[in-house]
Amino acid sequence: MEYATLLNDYAAAASAEQVKQKADALRELAKGNQTAEVYKFCLSAIDLTTLSCCDSEQSVGEFARRAAEFTIDYPHLQNVASICVYPPFVETVGLAIDATPLRITSVVGGFPSSQTFLEVKMLETAMAIENGADEVDMVINVGKILSGAYDEAAAEIEVIRGEAEDATLKVILETGALCTPELIRTASLLAMAAGADFIKTSTGKIEVSATAEAAVVMCEAIRDYYDVTGYKVGFKAAGGIRSAEDAALYYTIVKEILGEEWLTPELFRIGASALANNLLSAIEGEEVRYFL
């Protein structure tokens, strides 16, 4: 498919100054959403993440088991949405969270750079699904986007969409590398057209991770894609999101641009690790370090 031609169905991106003004207004509005109820929802939307070179079967197993036991210790709260790990640990997580509603997310496709052979990306995705992943997070080929090879970048997503079968596919745009509203919007629209169920801000592995400005551009692209196609794509913020106030900001951006119907873990996620404890502390009114 010639994906680049589909971009003609959509208006051009807003200017950087326009995006900044919208983001600043939403930052002010978010102060009114710094409440326990919002924090509870945000906790339930977290993909609880460990993506470290130090991960091992033992450490990931303990990480997942701790999350699986959360509702025993906090029966009044909804648990996080999923556990996000590298592909070799999908089976480990599956054993730890068996018989719980928790989902398993695996990064795939040569995460975090996406710089490997397409065949390797395909095999890694297929193996993660075979081992039990419910959701897969892949990185768009940023180099191809930056060089204008839009059809090639989208075609890679289409191929991984096929390998992912019925699993939820989240496409990471690495917005800190794309930088401009125009490129972030272009990558958003290409990813959605190629089969993404979610578009995600960042890997958290480069200097610039999630920003309110990138989230504004992405959510407006999701809104416009829905207006044209009738298909709802989810939004995932990830990378450097640590405080309860940060979570409330992304909640506000989604609520104001996409509406209340997007405020469900089926359409809104936050990828994080430290955030879970910080939200729990804000909810409970005291410092809590429950999650490993």
Side-chain angles (χ1 to χ4, degrees):
M1 179 185 292
E2 294 184 358
Y3 285 98
T5 61
L6 298 176
L7 299 173
N8 297 327
D9 295 336
Y10 300 90
S15 69
E17 182 57 33
Q18 289 171 323
V19 171
K20 183 181 184 303
Q21 289 175 359
K22 292 178 184 178
D24 286 345
L26 289 165
R27 286 186 179 97
E28 285 300 312
L29 201 57
K31 294 176 183 177
N33 287 324
Q34 294 173 6
T35 67
E37 288 307 308
V38 169
Y39 296 156
K40 288 176 185 178
F41 168 73
C42 290
L43 181 66
S44 75
I46 286 180
D47 288 343
L48 190 66
T49 302
T50 179
L51 295 171
S52 166
C53 65
C54 299
D55 288 342
S56 65
E57 288 187 9
Q58 180 180 356
S59 69
V60 171
E62 291 174 356
F63 180 84
R65 279 190 293 274
R66 185 66 169 162
E69 294 168 356
F70 176 76
T71 52
I72 297 173
D73 295 305
Y74 293 91
H76 58 294
L77 296 176
Q78 188 173 336
N79 205 351
V80 298
S82 83
I83 306 293
C84 180
V85 294
Y86 279 115
F89 302 114
V90 166
E91 208 164 9
T92 300
V93 175
L95 292 171
I97 68 169
D98 189 39
T100 75
L102 282 168
R103 295 172 67 81
I104 305 171
T105 298
S106 175
V107 294
V108 297
F111 179 94
S113 69
S114 191
Q115 298 287 15
T116 189
F117 300 105
L118 179 57
E119 292 82 0
V120 173
K121 298 179 184 182
M122 293 166 63
L123 180 60
E124 189 175 54
T125 303
M127 291 179 69
I129 297 299
E130 184 178 352
N131 286 348
D134 303 296
E135 307 181 356
V136 291
D137 289 20
M138 67 167 287
V139 185
I140 199 169
N141 193 316
V142 176
K144 291 187 183 299
I145 296 293
L146 292 174
S147 64
Y150 297 155
D151 285 339
E152 293 179 33
E156 283 196 9
I157 297 170
E158 181 182 355
V159 169
I160 300 304
R161 167 77 278 172
E163 295 295 334
E165 301 177 347
D166 295 329
T168 299
L169 174 63
K170 309 191 200 89
V171 177
I172 306 165
L173 306 184
E174 201 66 293
T175 54
L178 297 179
C179 299
T180 68
E182 180 181 8
L183 282 177
I184 294 169
R185 181 172 173 83
T186 294
S188 298
L189 293 169
L190 290 171
M192 291 187 284
D197 296 306
F198 275 75
I199 52 175
K200 174 180 171 182
T201 56
S202 321
T203 62
K205 302 296 186 182
I206 68 170
E207 185 176 355
V208 179
S209 291
T211 66
E213 286 76 11
V216 166
V217 175
M218 291 170 66
C219 287
E220 289 185 344
I222 291 170
R223 178 198 63 201
D224 296 346
Y225 185 77
Y226 174 69
D227 288 343
V228 170
T229 68
Y231 185 74
K232 292 180 179 177
V233 174
F235 169 76
K236 179 175 174 178
I241 302 171
R242 295 182 176 85
S243 71
E245 293 77 14
D246 289 340
L249 172 59
Y250 290 101
Y251 170 97
T252 301
I253 292 170
V254 170
K255 180 181 178 182
E256 296 302 318
I257 296 176
L258 295 171
E260 298 269 1
E261 58 194 304
W262 257 264
L263 293 177
T264 165
E266 283 69 47
L267 289 169
F268 175 53
R269 296 285 181 86
I270 304 173
S273 50
L275 175 63
N277 282 327
N278 292 334
L279 282 172
L280 187 56
S281 297
I283 293 165
E284 295 296 295
E286 61 182 9
E287 185 175 6
V288 179
R289 288 293 173 260
Y290 178 87
F291 295 98
L292 298 178

